[in-house]
Amino acid sequence: MSFSVKIAKSRGMCAGVERAIQTVKNAILKFPQKNVYVLHEVVHNKHVVDDLRSEGAHFVDSLDEVPDNSVLIFSAHGVGISTFEAAKARDLTIVDATCPVVSVIHKKMNKAGLKGMDAVVIGHKGHQEVVGTIGQYTGDASKVHIIISADDVSLLNIDGDNAMFATQTTLSIDETRLTVEALKKKYPNIQGPKADDTCRATQVRQNAVKELARSCDLVLIAGSANSSNSNRLKEVALNEGALAYLIDDSSQIEISWFNNVTTVGLSAGASAPQYVVDEIVDYLKQNGASSVEEVGSDLKEKSFPLPKEVHL
């Protein structure tokens, strides 16, 4: 068994993820006398969460699990206004690690609620980012509508002259485009971005995987199963005709995947650490990889400043 490996240069942690992780690390250092709690997973990656837990962070699913006199960090996905207000009413040191790109969408939802507009959110119902986004709407909850596909648009019944839309930042740019086109066709005056709110990091990674999949028989995506952007990368590869698997690390690889495969592609979701990619490469070298090369354009990633509460 022998195959070549191509690794997408544009891969791995985005600026919002790096900011969220460093926020937790700094909080642990800055508040040594307090326990640091994170509401939900700070980012959707098993290894990142396990690493931070080993450093002293506690991950919870409810404010009720957070004791008084603790540090509370909101994850990169953001939370709704009611959650924020409930936390403020407690004896807690609050640090908001919401990705700045998501925060921009929150402000749009705030304004829509104040104006009583219908708000259409294109995203996966129940995903933490979507829950946080709709939780930013302060008006009549019946005016908030969550859709995902172009077919869902036909079921909408809103005032298109007093409506806006926003999208989850980690969606498939190709599928989201179809939904946005259907929405604008039905409601020409609806307010929103020209295309969608998919963040640049998501777009760059999806385009890189699209190019990768066109020259590979099999594509591996390093990322966790609950990571939306990682799942979208897998879907992009599949749509280009390659076999594709989403894996946390090499322990989930099955050697049979490489039967009759000549070229393996590798990329990583926006919350996957580089050391996981390195570990997968080592596995591939030990199990048939004859060559390894990086392909595509370099990732030009900007950075976001940390929340002032955790400046050291």
Side-chain angles (χ1 to χ4, degrees):
M1 183 184 297
S2 178
F3 51 84
S4 61
V5 176
K6 295 182 178 181
I7 309 174
K9 287 183 179 179
S10 296
R11 65 174 188 274
M13 287 190 176
C14 66
V17 164
E18 291 187 339
R19 175 180 184 267
I21 293 170
Q22 195 59 50
T23 294
V24 179
K25 289 176 177 285
N26 278 26
I28 293 170
L29 293 174
K30 186 167 183 177
F31 303 101
Q33 304 304 318
K34 294 187 176 184
N35 287 321
V36 174
Y37 285 80
V38 185
L39 186 61
H40 308 302
E41 293 186 349
V42 66
V43 297
H44 285 156
N45 184 271
K46 176 185 181 297
H47 289 283
V48 169
V49 171
D50 287 347
D51 289 346
L52 292 175
R53 187 179 283 119
S54 70
E55 293 182 33
H58 304 271
F59 294 90
V60 295
D61 293 321
S62 167
L63 287 179
D64 295 337
E65 300 174 68
V66 182
D68 286 343
N69 196 36
S70 299
V71 176
L72 173 64
I73 299 175
F74 294 131
S75 78
H77 309 100
V79 298
I81 292 174
S82 62
T83 300
F84 199 92
E85 292 299 322
K88 281 177 62 178
R90 298 272 309 280
D91 178 22
L92 300 170
T93 300
I94 299 172
V95 184
D96 188 0
T98 302
C99 174
V101 177
V102 176
S103 294
V104 171
I105 300 171
H106 284 187
K107 291 176 182 177
K108 295 178 185 178
M109 291 294 288
N110 290 158
K111 291 180 180 179
L114 292 172
K115 294 180 180 179
M117 302 172 70
D118 277 291
V120 179
V121 178
I122 301 173
H124 295 284
K125 189 175 294 187
H127 187 277
Q128 285 171 17
E129 182 187 324
V130 173
V131 172
T133 295
I134 63 176
Q136 292 291 324
Y137 189 91
T138 56
D140 181 354
S142 67
K143 290 192 173 185
V144 178
H145 317 270
I146 304 173
I147 65 172
I148 190 61
S149 68
D151 290 339
D152 294 335
V153 175
S154 63
L155 303 176
L156 285 176
N157 182 19
I158 63 174
D159 179 2
D161 294 324
N162 187 39
M164 60 80 72
F165 76 91
T167 74
Q168 186 178 332
T169 60
T170 55
L171 297 178
S172 161
I173 52 178
D174 292 331
E175 291 181 11
T176 305
R177 183 182 67 251
L178 297 176
T179 306
V180 171
E181 288 175 353
L183 190 61
K184 288 184 174 181
K185 182 177 181 180
K186 185 174 181 179
Y187 301 109
N189 295 326
I190 193 169
Q191 298 177 30
K194 289 182 179 180
D196 54 51
D197 296 301
T198 302
C199 76
R200 178 183 173 277
T202 295
Q203 295 179 28
V204 168
R205 285 159 181 75
Q206 288 183 16
N207 288 336
V209 167
K210 189 176 294 186
E211 292 298 319
L212 190 68
R214 289 171 181 168
S215 61
C216 297
D217 308 299
L218 166 69
V219 175
L220 301 175
I221 303 297
S224 291
N226 62 339
S227 166
S228 175
N229 77 84
S230 299
N231 276 285
R232 303 296 81 76
L233 293 179
K234 173 187 170 183
E235 291 171 3
V236 166
L238 289 170
N239 288 339
E240 291 300 320
L243 293 171
Y245 298 96
L246 175 62
I247 55 174
D248 270 309
D249 49 49
S250 68
S251 68
Q252 296 180 334
I253 295 176
E254 296 182 19
I255 200 69
S256 61
W257 294 349
F258 305 116
N259 292 339
N260 303 315
V261 166
T262 58
T263 309
V264 175
L266 174 61
S267 187
S271 51
Q274 177 59 33
Y275 72 77
V276 171
V277 175
D278 294 338
E279 184 266 337
I280 293 171
V281 170
D282 287 342
Y283 174 92
L284 295 176
K285 287 179 177 178
Q286 295 168 17
N287 288 276
S290 56
S291 65
V292 178
E293 65 171 327
E294 286 194 315
V295 298
S297 59
D298 284 320
L299 180 63
K300 296 178 180 179
E301 189 68 72
K302 60 183 177 181
S303 61
F304 294 126
L306 296 178
K308 63 181 185 299
E309 293 87 356
V310 295
H311 286 177
L312 300 176

